Amino acid sequence: MGRVLRKRLPRDLRAGWGRYLALILVIAMGIYLVIGIVGSAETVLHGTDEKRSEFNTQDGSFTVFLPLTDEDMDMLTEDGTEIQAEFCTDLDVDGDAKLRMFKNRDSIDKVILDEGRLAETDSECVIEKRYAACNDISVGDSITAGGHGFTVTGIGAVPDYDQPKAKFSDTAVQSKYFGLIFVTGECYDSVRSDGDLPAEEYLYAYKLGKGVTNDGLKEKIKSIDLDYTKVEDKYFHEQVDEILERKKDFEWLLSLSPETSEEDQEMIDKMFDIGINDLISFVPAADNERIEAAAGDVIMDKNAGLVAGVIILFLFGYVISVFVVHRVESEAPVIGALYALGVKKKDLLGHYITLPTIVAFIGGVIGTGLGFSPIGIGTQLEDSYGYFSLPQYDIYYSPYLLVYGLVLPPVISAIVNALVINQKLSRTALSLIKNEQSTSSYRRFNIRSKNFITMFRVRQMVRELRSAITVVLGMLVSLMVVMLGLDCLVMCQAVKDDNVADTDYSYMYLYKYPEEEVPKGGEGAFVKTLTTDCMGYTLDVTVIGLNEISKYFDARPEKGKNKAVINNSLVERYGYKKGDRVTFTDAADDRDYSFIVTDTAQYSPGFTIFMDIGSMRELFGEDEDYFNAVYSSKELDIDSGRLYSVTSKADIEKSAGVFVDQMGSLVWTLMTAGAIIFIVVMYLMMGVMIDRSSFGISLIKIFGYRPREVRSLYLNGNLTIVSIGALICTPLAKLLMDLIYPSFIPNVACSMVLDFPPYLYLLIYGAVLAVYFVSSAMLTRKLSRITPAEVLKNRE
C-alpha cells in the first residue's frame, strides 16, 4: 500500500504545481535572507576572532595630559604589561575633511593592509580603507593633508578604529569626512613641528600582563608624578604659570596668619594641583565602541535573523497545512475506503505529510544554496564593509546554518502538518466514506439580517475560519517586517532633521588649554564626558555646563550639584522623566554621578545633560571661572594649538544624513520581503477558500448566478476579513515593533523618534487593500474555471 500511495505524490504535485511552486519560492527567499544575514554575521564574528591575534588588538587605552617618561614606562611595564604610544593629531584636508595622523605601529593595534605597503619615507603614508573608498583614493595617488603632500603606499585597517568615528560621542561614522593616515615617526614629528595644528592627543594602548587588571594599571598610572618642566608646549606653561601665580598670592595671604601649619600648606598644594597627573580617559577595550564594533553590531542581526526565520517557517508550515487539510477533506471517501481495507492511520498521516515536507525541503535547499552563494553572504557582507573599517574576511560557512537551511524547513513543516492533520484522520471509516460534515458552531449563529448576501458571506467566513486566521497571521508577520523597515526610515530621517534643527550654534571650540577669558563673540561652557550602559554597550553622555541664559540651547538648568536637564534622546531611549534620578559614570575616575532630572530639553545630537555651569564646576572640582568649550554663531580667531577640536554646524549636517544613506537598502529589502510574504499568503489562502467552496460555486452557477454575483458571494466577503484584519494588525504590528526596536540599536547614542505621520498609516492600509484587490482579480479566473459539472462529481 505504501508503494501505491507513493505513486500518487507526483500526480498531486502536478495538480497543485502553482501553489507549491509559490511556497517553494517564498520558503527559499526566507532561508536565503536568513542565511545571508546570519552567515555574514558569523563571517564577521569568526573573522574578528581570527584577526585579533594578527592585529594584536589592545586590551584598552588611556590618554594623559602629558606624555609619560621612559622611567614611567618602565614602571608600568615591569609586571609584563605592554604599552605603546599612539599619539595622534588631526590634519585638515581642503577645509572639508580631517585625517587623524598616527605613527606606524610596531606591536599593538597593527595595520593590516588590503593592498600596498607601509610608509617608509617622509613623503609616504597608509590610508584607512573606508576613507580611501569614500574619497576614491588608490595606492600610488598623491594627497595633501595639513598642508603636506603624501604618496599613498598602502590601504588598510586597524582594530582600534573598526568603527572609524572621530569622537566617541559621534552618532555615526562619516568616512567621507574623517579617516586615518599612518606615517613614519620622522614624518610625524616633522609635520607636528611645521604646521599650525590642534593640540596633540597623548594616547597609549596597552596589553595587560599576566594577572594584571585594568583597575590595577589605572591606579599605577595615577600614581605617576610627572615633571611638567620638561614639557615644550607654550600653552601648557602659560596655564601652569597662571596657576602658580595664584598659588603664590594665596600663600602670601595665608602667611599673614600666625597659625599656618603643614596641614594648611598641604591644603594649598591640593587646591592648586596643576592636574598633570589626572587621566583624561581610561577605556578598556570592552567599553571602546570603536573596537570590534562590527562584531557587536552583527550579533543583533544574527539573533533577529534566526528568530524571524523560525517564525516565517512556522507560518508557511501552517499555510501548507491548510492545503493538506483541504486535500484530506476532499478525499474523505477514499480515505474511509482505505481504512476499511485495513490501511493504518500512521501510513496515511505519513503520506499526507510527505509532499509538504518535500516542498519545504526543496525550498530550503534552494534558499541555502543562494544564501551561501556570492549573492547571499557576499552581498550582505557589503553592508558591514560599507560602514565599518574591516580587513577582508574569508567567508565562514557555519555548520549549524546548513542544519538550519536544510533540516529545519522540512522538520517544521512535518511537525505543523502532523498536528493539524491528525484530527482530520481520526474519524471513523464510515464517517469518512459518507463524507459527513461536522456540525460547525456557525450553524448556531443568529444572524440578524434579512439580506441573503450578507448572511451568506458571514457563514462563508466562519466556514473558512482557518484560512481567514492564516491570512490575518500572515498579514501580522508581514506588517511587522514592513514596520521594521519603516521604523528604520522614520528614525533615520528624524535624526537627520532634528540634529540639524537642534544645532543653533555655528561653531563649537573644545579647548585643551583654555584662555583666561571667553573670546569675544563666543559663549563659554564647561563640557565633560560621562558614560552610561545600554544593553551591555557603553555609550557616551555629554555633560554641558551652561550660564543662566544660553543663546544656543533651550535648557534652563537649576543651580545644584545634583540637578540636571536631560535631552530628548535620553528621554526617548530610557523613558526618563522629570523627578527621576539618573546615574552616569566617569570611567577615568571610577566614580558614579547621580542627578535629579529637573526638566527635559529638545536637543537630539547624542546623549546630553545640562547643568548650571557654577554647580558643575563645583561638582568636578574646577575653578569658579573655568570653561573648556566655546559656542559661537561665527568663526572665532582662536589659536589651534589651544584646541582639541572644532565642530561646525556643517559637520553636524554631514553626519546627520549618514543613517539615511546607510539604511536605505535595508529599508527597501525589509519592505519588499514583507510585501512578498503577504501577497503569497493572501493569494494562496483565498485560492484555498475557493477550492473548498467549489461544490457550492458549481451549484449556484446551476441556479443561474452570474459571474459578478458569484464573485460577490465568495470573494468580496473576504474584503471584510482583510479590512478588519488590517485595522487590527497595522497598529498591533507597529506596537510590537516599537517595543523591540530599541534592541536593534543599543550601540548607537541617538534620538529614537518612531512616531508615524497619520498619512503613513493610511498608505499602509491602502497597500493592504490594494494587495487584496489584485489577488481577487487574479482569482476571478479561478472562479470562471469551476463548472456545474462539479456537482455531478460530488453526488452521493
Side-chain angles (χ1 to χ4, degrees):
M1 182 57 67
R3 185 167 58 87
V4 174
L5 291 174
R6 284 194 296 272
K7 287 184 176 180
R8 294 191 62 202
L9 294 177
R11 185 171 71 246
D12 294 337
L13 183 60
R14 286 194 300 271
W17 71 270
R19 64 182 56 157
Y20 288 128
L21 178 61
L23 287 169
I24 288 172
L25 293 177
V26 175
I27 291 173
M29 181 193 72
I31 295 296
Y32 158 72
L33 288 175
V34 169
I35 289 184
I37 293 171
V38 178
S40 66
E42 288 289 0
T43 297
V44 172
L45 293 169
H46 189 262
T48 299
D49 289 339
E50 279 191 335
K51 297 292 184 182
R52 191 177 294 127
S53 59
E54 185 177 350
F55 275 128
N56 195 24
T57 305
Q58 62 175 257
D59 290 333
S61 62
F62 60 90
T63 55
V64 289
F65 201 73
L66 296 176
L68 302 176
T69 64
D70 292 340
E71 292 79 8
D72 301 327
M73 293 286 280
D74 291 339
M75 184 270 289
L76 294 175
T77 58
E78 62 187 3
D79 53 14
T81 297
E82 184 181 358
I83 296 179
Q84 175 178 272
E86 295 182 355
F87 298 172
C88 58
T89 300
D90 287 351
L91 306 180
D92 185 69
V93 181
D94 299 327
D96 192 44
K98 283 182 171 53
L99 280 171
R100 184 159 293 167
M101 179 175 62
F102 293 88
K103 297 178 183 179
N104 288 336
R105 296 171 177 179
D106 300 323
S107 177
I108 303 174
D109 297 336
K110 291 184 290 189
V111 180
I112 293 183
L113 295 173
D114 280 6
E115 54 181 315
R117 59 173 174 81
L118 294 177
E120 296 175 354
T121 68
D122 286 358
S123 61
E124 295 178 342
C125 72
V126 169
I127 297 293
E128 179 266 314
K129 63 184 298 182
R130 285 303 308 139
Y131 181 86
C134 292
N135 291 278
D136 197 24
I137 297 173
S138 304
V139 171
D141 288 353
S142 296
I143 65 169
T144 301
H148 292 259
F150 300 92
T151 299
V152 178
T153 62
I155 294 175
V158 288
D160 51 322
Y161 279 85
D162 179 312
Q163 184 174 214
K165 292 164 59 171
K167 301 188 293 291
F168 286 138
S169 58
D170 286 347
T171 302
V173 171
Q174 309 172 60
S175 290
K176 176 71 175 175
Y177 307 103
F178 174 78
L180 312 178
I181 180 174
F182 297 88
V183 299
T184 64
E186 294 78 8
C187 178
Y188 182 93
D189 294 336
S190 174
V191 173
R192 278 293 310 166
S193 63
D194 290 348
D196 181 19
L197 301 176
E200 186 177 18
E201 184 173 13
Y202 302 125
L203 172 68
Y204 293 86
Y206 63 83
K207 295 281 289 186
L208 294 171
K210 186 176 181 180
V212 182
T213 64
N214 288 307
D215 290 339
L217 176 61
K218 185 191 297 185
E219 292 306 314
K220 292 180 72 173
I221 297 169
K222 288 183 175 181
S223 70
I224 295 174
D225 187 15
L226 296 175
D227 185 0
Y228 65 85
T229 62
K230 295 181 180 180
V231 180
E232 298 178 357
D233 193 313
K234 66 176 183 178
Y235 297 112
F236 173 75
H237 283 288
E238 285 180 7
Q239 186 170 345
V240 170
D241 291 343
E242 180 186 348
I243 293 174
L244 293 178
E245 191 65 33
R246 292 169 61 190
K247 182 179 179 182
K248 286 180 181 179
D249 293 341
F250 198 89
E251 287 176 330
W252 178 79
L253 288 173
L254 196 62
S255 68
L256 300 179
S257 171
E259 299 180 359
T260 303
S261 64
E262 291 183 4
E263 289 77 11
D264 294 328
Q265 186 62 47
E266 289 178 2
M267 181 265 297
I268 294 173
D269 291 339
K270 185 175 181 179
M271 287 175 60
F272 292 94
D273 180 9
I274 296 172
I276 58 177
N277 298 333
D278 294 339
L279 286 173
I280 295 175
S281 68
F282 187 93
V283 186
D287 296 335
N288 190 334
E289 60 187 85
R290 293 188 185 123
I291 296 178
E292 298 185 0
D297 185 69
V298 297
I299 286 175
M300 295 175 290
D301 296 343
K302 172 184 171 181
N303 295 336
L306 291 173
V307 172
V310 171
I311 292 173
I312 291 174
L313 287 176
F314 269 107
L315 171 65
F316 281 100
Y318 187 76
V319 169
I320 294 174
S321 74
V322 174
F323 295 141
V324 180
V325 167
H326 170 56
R327 235 180 95 206
V328 170
E329 290 177 345
S330 63
E331 296 177 356
V334 176
I335 295 171
L338 291 174
Y339 275 169
L341 292 173
V343 177
K344 302 294 184 182
K345 175 184 173 182
K346 65 178 183 180
D347 295 329
L348 287 174
L349 184 62
H351 168 70
Y352 284 107
I353 288 175
T354 299
L355 187 55
T357 302
I358 292 173
V359 168
F361 177 72
I362 294 172
V365 170
I366 296 173
T368 301
L370 292 174
F372 280 120
S373 72
I375 65 172
I377 292 178
T379 300
Q380 292 295 330
L381 275 174
E382 292 305 315
D383 289 339
S384 293
Y385 287 136
Y387 186 77
F388 299 99
S389 184
L390 307 173
Q392 286 298 128
Y393 296 139
D394 295 329
I395 291 180
Y396 179 63
Y397 300 97
S398 180
Y400 81 85
L401 283 179
L402 287 172
V403 175
Y404 190 99
L406 299 178
V407 177
L408 204 57
V411 167
I412 289 178
S413 176
I415 292 173
V416 172
N417 278 279
L419 293 174
V420 174
I421 297 170
N422 183 62
Q423 183 181 2
K424 293 292 182 182
L425 295 176
S426 297
R427 294 160 56 191
T428 65
L430 182 60
S431 173
L432 290 165
I433 290 172
K434 294 175 66 177
N435 199 13
E436 294 177 345
Q437 303 297 319
S438 60
T439 304
S440 302
S441 58
Y442 76 87
R443 295 183 182 278
R444 297 192 296 270
F445 283 3
N446 183 16
I447 303 174
R448 297 182 178 180
S449 175
K450 296 182 179 180
N451 187 301
F452 169 74
I453 293 178
T454 300
M455 290 190 294
F456 187 93
R457 287 176 177 173
V458 171
R459 292 186 182 278
Q460 176 68 9
M461 283 190 291
V462 175
R463 185 184 297 114
E464 299 297 338
L465 189 60
R466 179 183 287 108
S467 298
I469 291 174
T470 306
V471 170
V472 175
L473 287 176
M475 186 189 304
L476 178 62
V477 171
S478 58
L479 283 176
M480 287 183 67
V481 176
V482 171
M483 290 299 179
L484 175 57
L486 290 176
D487 273 357
C488 289
L489 179 64
V490 168
M491 191 202 79
C492 293
Q493 190 62 49
V495 168
K496 178 180 180 180
D497 296 340
D498 293 347
N499 281 13
V500 175
D502 295 344
T503 304
D504 293 331
Y505 58 85
S506 297
Y507 292 91
M508 185 195 80
Y509 299 89
L510 187 62
Y511 283 85
K512 182 174 184 179
Y513 304 113
E515 302 174 83
E516 293 184 15
E517 296 182 355
V518 176
K520 186 177 180 180
E523 179 181 300
F526 180 11
V527 175
K528 186 175 179 64
T529 300
L530 303 178
T531 62
T532 189
D533 178 79
C534 185
M535 300 183 186
Y537 291 89
T538 300
L539 302 180
D540 280 359
V541 178
T542 302
V543 187
I544 303 180
L546 300 175
N547 293 305
E548 291 184 2
I549 300 178
S550 172
K551 295 189 297 183
Y552 304 109
F553 303 95
D554 66 0
R556 298 295 179 262
E558 300 177 10
K559 293 185 181 298
K561 293 190 294 182
N562 67 337
K563 295 181 178 180
V565 175
I566 63 174
N567 74 332
N568 58 291
S569 298
L570 285 167
V571 173
E572 292 157 5
R573 184 64 63 89
Y574 295 96
Y576 296 145
K577 59 184 182 298
K578 187 175 180 179
D580 285 353
R581 179 176 292 276
V582 298
T583 302
F584 306 112
T585 302
D586 186 339
D589 287 339
D590 283 335
R591 182 176 177 183
D592 290 339
Y593 293 91
S594 292
F595 305 94
I596 300 296
V597 178
T598 60
D599 202 357
T600 61
Q602 178 63 35
Y603 183 69
S604 292
F607 291 165
T608 308
I609 68 172
F610 302 93
M611 292 184 67
D612 168 70
I613 192 169
S615 302
M616 184 174 172
R617 289 164 177 159
E618 185 179 357
L619 176 64
F620 293 107
E622 298 293 349
D623 295 333
E624 61 182 16
D625 58 352
Y626 177 80
F627 69 94
N628 65 352
V630 170
Y631 298 91
S632 70
S633 58
K634 62 181 180 179
E635 190 172 4
L636 302 178
D637 184 18
I638 301 176
D639 195 326
S640 60
R642 290 185 175 275
L643 302 173
Y644 273 127
S645 64
V646 179
T647 303
S648 68
K649 185 167 184 175
D651 296 330
I652 302 294
E653 292 172 348
K654 291 171 189 174
S655 64
V658 170
F659 277 147
V660 174
D661 298 336
Q662 184 66 29
M663 301 297 287
S665 61
L666 175 63
V667 170
W668 288 113
T669 298
L670 291 171
M671 294 179 67
T672 301
I676 291 174
I677 291 172
F678 181 53
I679 289 170
V680 171
V681 172
M682 171 82 77
Y683 181 78
L684 293 178
M685 289 300 96
M686 289 177 64
V688 168
M689 292 179 188
I690 291 175
D691 288 343
R692 289 166 58 87
S693 302
S694 59
F695 181 85
I697 294 171
S698 174
L699 192 61
I700 65 172
K701 282 188 174 182
I702 291 176
F703 293 153
Y705 280 80
R706 293 184 294 272
R708 181 175 60 82
E709 295 170 324
V710 175
R711 185 172 65 251
S712 173
L713 290 172
Y714 285 93
L715 285 181
N716 293 358
N718 296 325
L719 177 60
T720 304
I721 297 173
V722 174
S723 57
I724 295 176
L727 283 175
I728 297 172
C729 289
T730 300
L732 179 59
K734 172 63 174 169
L735 175 64
L736 293 174
M737 191 48 60
D738 285 358
L739 290 175
I740 65 176
Y741 188 81
S743 65
F744 293 124
I745 55 167
N747 57 335
V748 182
C750 66
S751 60
M752 195 178 66
V753 177
L754 301 177
D755 295 335
F756 284 1
Y759 73 84
L760 199 52
Y761 288 102
L762 294 177
L763 286 176
I764 295 170
Y765 190 77
V768 171
L769 294 183
V771 170
Y772 163 78
F773 287 121
V774 171
S775 300
S776 180
M778 295 171 65
L779 289 168
T780 299
R781 293 182 301 170
K782 191 178 184 72
L783 281 175
S784 64
R785 290 198 296 267
I786 298 176
T787 65
E790 293 291 330
V791 174
L792 298 176
K793 293 179 182 179
N794 289 280
R795 76 182 189 277
E796 294 185 6

